[in-house]
Amino acid sequence: MTTEIVSSRLEGMKLIIETAEGTRTYDSQFLVAALLVFVARGSGKIEPEESAKMIDLIEEHFHLQGAESLELITTAMSELTDKPTLAVLLADLGPTLSDGDKEDIALMGLKVIAADGHRHFAEMEQFNTAMTAVGIQPEVVHRAFDRYFAETMPGE
Protein backbone atom coordinates (compact mmCIF):
# COMPACT_ATOMS: atom_id res chain seq x y z
CA MET A 1 0.00 0.00 0.00
CA THR A 2 1.38 3.39 -0.98
CA THR A 3 1.09 6.17 1.56
CA GLU A 4 1.06 9.69 0.18
CA ILE A 5 3.19 12.22 2.03
CA VAL A 6 1.10 15.28 2.86
CA SER A 7 3.90 17.47 4.26
CA SER A 8 7.49 17.31 5.44
CA ARG A 9 9.87 19.43 7.45
CA LEU A 10 13.38 19.31 8.87
CA GLU A 11 13.77 19.74 12.61
CA GLY A 12 17.44 19.80 13.46
CA MET A 13 18.87 16.51 12.26
CA LYS A 14 15.51 14.79 11.72
CA LEU A 15 13.08 14.67 8.81
CA ILE A 16 9.45 14.66 9.89
CA ILE A 17 6.75 13.67 7.42
CA GLU A 18 2.98 13.73 7.71
CA THR A 19 0.75 11.17 6.00
CA ALA A 20 -2.93 10.36 6.37
CA GLU A 21 -1.79 7.61 8.75
CA GLY A 22 0.15 10.00 11.03
CA THR A 23 3.59 11.43 11.62
CA ARG A 24 6.91 9.63 11.06
CA THR A 25 10.42 10.77 11.95
CA TYR A 26 13.57 9.78 10.07
CA ASP A 27 17.17 10.34 11.15
CA SER A 28 20.66 9.89 9.74
CA GLN A 29 20.63 6.16 10.58
CA PHE A 30 17.57 5.72 8.41
CA LEU A 31 19.15 7.88 5.70
CA VAL A 32 22.24 5.65 5.58
CA ALA A 33 20.12 2.48 5.45
CA ALA A 34 17.96 3.96 2.68
CA LEU A 35 21.02 5.00 0.65
CA LEU A 36 22.53 1.53 0.90
CA VAL A 37 19.22 -0.07 -0.11
CA PHE A 38 18.96 2.34 -3.05
CA VAL A 39 22.49 1.47 -4.24
CA ALA A 40 21.96 -2.28 -3.78
CA ARG A 41 18.74 -2.17 -5.82
CA GLY A 42 20.68 -0.71 -8.75
CA SER A 43 21.15 -4.11 -10.37
CA GLY A 44 17.43 -4.85 -10.18
CA LYS A 45 17.44 -6.91 -7.00
CA ILE A 46 19.31 -7.09 -3.74
CA GLU A 47 21.54 -10.13 -3.60
CA PRO A 48 21.89 -12.07 -0.31
CA GLU A 49 25.54 -11.01 -0.02
CA GLU A 50 24.53 -7.37 -0.38
CA SER A 51 21.87 -7.75 2.33
CA ALA A 52 24.39 -9.32 4.67
CA LYS A 53 26.94 -6.59 3.93
CA MET A 54 24.39 -3.81 4.56
CA ILE A 55 23.45 -5.36 7.91
CA ASP A 56 27.12 -5.68 8.92
CA LEU A 57 27.96 -2.12 7.84
CA ILE A 58 25.00 -0.56 9.65
CA GLU A 59 25.73 -2.64 12.74
CA GLU A 60 29.37 -1.58 12.79
CA HIS A 61 28.88 2.08 11.87
CA PHE A 62 26.09 2.81 14.35
CA HIS A 63 27.14 0.26 17.01
CA LEU A 64 23.82 -1.59 16.78
CA GLN A 65 22.96 -5.19 17.50
CA GLY A 66 22.46 -7.42 14.44
CA ALA A 67 18.68 -7.54 14.93
CA GLU A 68 18.48 -3.73 15.15
CA SER A 69 20.53 -3.38 12.00
CA LEU A 70 18.32 -5.88 10.17
CA GLU A 71 15.20 -4.05 11.34
CA LEU A 72 16.58 -0.71 10.12
CA ILE A 73 17.37 -2.13 6.67
CA THR A 74 13.99 -3.88 6.46
CA THR A 75 12.16 -0.72 7.52
CA ALA A 76 14.08 1.32 4.93
CA MET A 77 13.10 -1.16 2.21
CA SER A 78 9.41 -1.07 3.07
CA GLU A 79 9.24 2.68 3.68
CA LEU A 80 10.89 3.44 0.33
CA THR A 81 8.40 1.11 -1.37
CA ASP A 82 5.36 2.48 0.48
CA LYS A 83 6.36 6.14 0.10
CA PRO A 84 8.03 6.61 -3.29
CA THR A 85 8.65 10.34 -2.71
CA LEU A 86 10.43 9.68 0.59
CA ALA A 87 13.81 9.19 -1.12
CA VAL A 88 13.79 12.76 -2.44
CA LEU A 89 12.82 14.14 0.97
CA LEU A 90 15.53 12.12 2.73
CA ALA A 91 18.12 13.93 0.62
CA ASP A 92 17.31 17.01 2.71
CA LEU A 93 19.15 15.30 5.58
CA GLY A 94 22.40 15.35 3.55
CA PRO A 95 23.51 18.80 4.77
CA THR A 96 23.17 17.63 8.39
CA LEU A 97 26.02 15.13 7.85
CA SER A 98 29.68 15.93 8.43
CA ASP A 99 32.21 15.35 5.64
CA GLY A 100 33.55 12.42 7.65
CA ASP A 101 30.09 10.86 7.80
CA LYS A 102 29.63 11.46 4.08
CA GLU A 103 32.93 9.75 3.33
CA ASP A 104 31.95 6.78 5.53
CA ILE A 105 28.59 6.54 3.74
CA ALA A 106 30.30 6.58 0.34
CA LEU A 107 32.69 3.85 1.50
CA MET A 108 29.76 1.75 2.74
CA GLY A 109 28.05 2.17 -0.63
CA LEU A 110 31.16 0.92 -2.43
CA LYS A 111 31.34 -2.10 -0.13
CA VAL A 112 27.69 -2.95 -0.85
CA ILE A 113 28.32 -2.75 -4.59
CA ALA A 114 31.27 -5.14 -4.28
CA ALA A 115 29.56 -7.54 -1.85
CA ASP A 116 28.21 -9.95 -4.46
CA GLY A 117 31.48 -10.08 -6.38
CA HIS A 118 29.97 -8.35 -9.44
CA ARG A 119 30.29 -4.73 -10.41
CA HIS A 120 27.10 -3.77 -12.16
CA PHE A 121 27.14 -0.53 -14.11
CA ALA A 122 23.59 0.18 -12.90
CA GLU A 123 24.73 -0.05 -9.27
CA MET A 124 27.49 2.48 -9.91
CA GLU A 125 24.94 4.78 -11.54
CA GLN A 126 22.69 4.38 -8.48
CA PHE A 127 25.70 5.08 -6.25
CA ASN A 128 26.51 8.28 -8.14
CA THR A 129 22.86 9.37 -8.05
CA ALA A 130 22.68 8.75 -4.30
CA MET A 131 25.92 10.60 -3.58
CA THR A 132 24.81 13.60 -5.62
CA ALA A 133 21.34 13.61 -4.04
CA VAL A 134 22.67 13.97 -0.50
CA GLY A 135 25.36 16.43 -1.48
CA ILE A 136 28.44 14.25 -1.18
CA GLN A 137 31.09 16.12 -3.13
CA PRO A 138 33.28 14.34 -5.71
CA GLU A 139 36.43 14.83 -3.62
CA VAL A 140 34.73 13.10 -0.67
CA VAL A 141 33.73 10.20 -2.94
CA HIS A 142 37.31 10.08 -4.23
CA ARG A 143 38.62 9.74 -0.65
CA ALA A 144 36.13 6.91 -0.09
CA PHE A 145 37.46 5.13 -3.20
CA ASP A 146 41.02 5.59 -1.88
CA ARG A 147 40.00 4.05 1.44
CA TYR A 148 38.19 1.20 -0.28
CA PHE A 149 41.19 0.31 -2.41
CA ALA A 150 43.56 0.67 0.55
CA GLU A 151 41.42 -1.87 2.45
CA THR A 152 40.91 -4.32 -0.42
CA MET A 153 44.12 -4.29 -2.46
CA PRO A 154 46.95 -6.65 -1.59
CA GLY A 155 49.77 -5.07 0.42
CA GLU A 156 52.37 -3.11 -1.41
Side-chain angles (χ1 to χ4, degrees), residues 69-84:
S69 180
L70 174 60
E71 182 179 353
L72 184 58
I73 294 291
T74 303
T75 301
M77 286 178 185
S78 64
E79 290 284 302
L80 291 172
T81 300
D82 292 345
K83 299 174 185 81

Side-chain angles (χ1 to χ4, degrees), residues 44-117:
K45 69 177 192 166
I46 299 175
E47 299 295 335
E49 300 89 353
E50 292 169 329
S51 294
K53 180 55 81 175
M54 287 189 290
I55 292 165
D56 290 346
L57 291 168
I58 294 287
E59 184 179 334
E60 180 182 324
H61 187 74
F62 293 113
H63 310 289
L64 300 175
Q65 296 298 315
E68 293 173 301
S69 180
L70 174 60
E71 182 179 353
L72 184 58
I73 294 291
T74 303
T75 301
M77 286 178 185
S78 64
E79 290 284 302
L80 291 172
T81 300
D82 292 345
K83 299 174 185 81
T85 58
L86 180 60
V88 174
L89 297 173
L90 283 170
D92 292 342
L93 287 171
T96 69
L97 302 170
S98 70
D99 278 351
D101 286 338
K102 290 177 180 180
E103 186 178 322
D104 289 345
I105 291 167
L107 178 61
M108 287 188 275
L110 294 171
K111 288 179 177 182
V112 168
I113 290 169
D116 64 359

Side-chain angles (χ1 to χ4, degrees), residues 90-153:
L90 283 170
D92 292 342
L93 287 171
T96 69
L97 302 170
S98 70
D99 278 351
D101 286 338
K102 290 177 180 180
E103 186 178 322
D104 289 345
I105 291 167
L107 178 61
M108 287 188 275
L110 294 171
K111 288 179 177 182
V112 168
I113 290 169
D116 64 359
H118 301 6
R119 289 178 302 244
H120 298 282
F121 179 74
E123 284 179 332
M124 283 308 298
E125 282 186 319
Q126 290 278 90
F127 172 82
N128 289 329
T129 299
M131 298 303 104
T132 300
V134 293
I136 299 179
Q137 299 298 316
E139 60 271 10
V140 175
V141 173
H142 183 77
R143 286 195 307 267
F145 269 102
D146 287 346
R147 284 175 57 195
Y148 176 78
F149 289 122
E151 289 178 18
T152 59
M153 298 301 285

